[in-house]
Amino acid sequence: MKRLLCLVPLLALSLLTACENNAAAYEIDGRNHSISLVREQAYPFAPEIAQTLVASRFPECQRRYKILPGNSRGPQMELWQHQDQLFVARQGKNWYAISTEKCLIQRMEAIADDPPGTRLGRFSLKDGALSFVADKR
């Protein structure tokens, strides 16, 4: 019986390692001005992964905004810059307007095939780690 009880923590630990808990940031003007994507999976077999966008411009503001959940295949989220301190994130058919001036984030309707402005890059999973991959300019 004692041997079985010793295996319980190992089993619990192996289940937790399958959970995703990742974050990546696009740095605009260094670490204090950024847009981040956070992905958190509550348990290993959860069909959806909770996602949050974070707009930061320290020391003025920082705000988290829950967005639609993702899946285990990764976020596949693109980031576009429309104007100074105004960005658009696109994940499939879901678009989000992001203002780093006042750290506001809101879901928006798609207005064309691509968001306006310049595509900066994308958030994606590589070898299980979330990262921001900048477009080559």
Side-chain angles (χ1 to χ4, degrees), residues 58-70:
F58 291 120
E60 286 78 15
C61 64
Q62 179 180 23
R63 183 157 299 143
R64 294 174 59 103
Y65 180 82
K66 283 189 177 187
I67 61 173
L68 293 172

Side-chain angles (χ1 to χ4, degrees), residues 23-40:
Y26 167 69
E27 293 183 359
I28 301 162
D29 292 322
R31 303 186 90 168
N32 291 332
H33 189 190
S34 65
I35 296 170
S36 303
L37 175 63
V38 179
R39 290 171 46 91
E40 299 170 314

